[in-house]
Amino acid sequence: MALDTGDKAPDFSLIADNGKPFKLSSKLKGNALLVFYPGDGLPVCKQQLSDYRDSYSDFNELGVEVIAISGDDAGTIKSFKKEHNLPFTLLSDADGEVSKQYDSFGWFGVKRSVYLVDKDLEVKYKHIESVSIYSRSVEELTEMIKRKV
């Protein structure tokens, strides 16, 4: 069954870039933008997450925590975070189980998508890219966040 706006988002626990478990429900203090991306090192992923890094204060001002999730292992996401100086949490979904729960897993692994969830894990917005070479811009996301929160 597809996850839609208004549904309760599945809670999960994944390994974070610091090597420790990250349980969404216990870490979430407000709204979160869950950013599913195909993989560290891919050009579109680097650009997307660098754009979100450069506008991190815009997300913070709107009360939204950015949490990025890929199918790469914990060591890879740790290196990727350090190399690109990413200020937000990166999570490893190496087996794709969480991505599947969020309709963000396809033939080639994790699909590029974003979910806005509130502190009660209600899905306020979702967008799954039909083609992974595209991603939601900071401007699109901040305008959407202003309407949804």
Side-chain angles (χ1 to χ4, degrees):
M1 197 159 115
L3 188 59
D4 288 316
T5 302
D7 289 348
K8 183 155 177 104
D11 195 9
F12 60 79
S13 183
L14 292 171
I15 298 300
D17 50 67
N18 63 6
K20 296 179 181 174
F22 180 102
K23 184 172 173 76
L24 183 62
S25 61
S26 62
K27 298 285 187 181
L28 198 57
K29 294 171 182 59
N31 297 306
L33 186 68
L34 304 179
V35 179
F36 290 87
Y37 67 102
D40 303 321
L42 299 172
V44 176
C45 299
K46 285 194 277 189
Q47 185 62 55
Q48 177 187 20
L49 296 183
S50 293
D51 289 346
Y52 297 175
R53 172 201 62 211
D54 296 345
S55 298
Y56 189 61
S57 63
D58 295 341
F59 292 114
N60 278 340
E61 287 173 12
L62 294 169
V64 174
E65 178 181 0
V66 176
I67 302 168
I69 303 166
S70 81
D72 290 319
D73 64 39
T76 302
I77 63 171
K78 180 179 181 177
S79 297
F80 183 69
K81 178 175 180 157
K82 183 176 180 183
E83 178 183 350
H84 297 285
N85 196 29
L86 302 174
F88 41 82
T89 301
L90 272 63
L91 302 175
S92 171
D93 184 22
D95 62 8
E97 287 305 311
V98 172
S99 300
K100 290 173 187 168
Q101 291 177 325
Y102 281 80
D103 308 318
S104 298
F105 196 86
W107 287 94
F108 302 108
V110 177
K111 293 193 269 183
R112 191 175 314 283
S113 61
V114 291
Y115 283 81
L116 178 67
V117 298
D118 69 12
K119 63 180 172 26
D120 298 319
L121 295 181
E122 181 182 338
V123 176
K124 297 297 194 179
Y125 171 84
K126 85 171 196 177
H127 181 86
I128 301 170
E129 296 294 345
S130 56
V131 179
S132 268
I133 61 169
Y134 301 112
S135 66
R136 299 294 88 190
S137 71
V138 170
E139 293 77 21
E140 289 173 301
L141 291 173
T142 55
E143 286 305 311
M144 173 276 299
I145 292 166
K146 288 174 187 174
R147 290 190 311 270
K148 301 289 182 180
V149 297

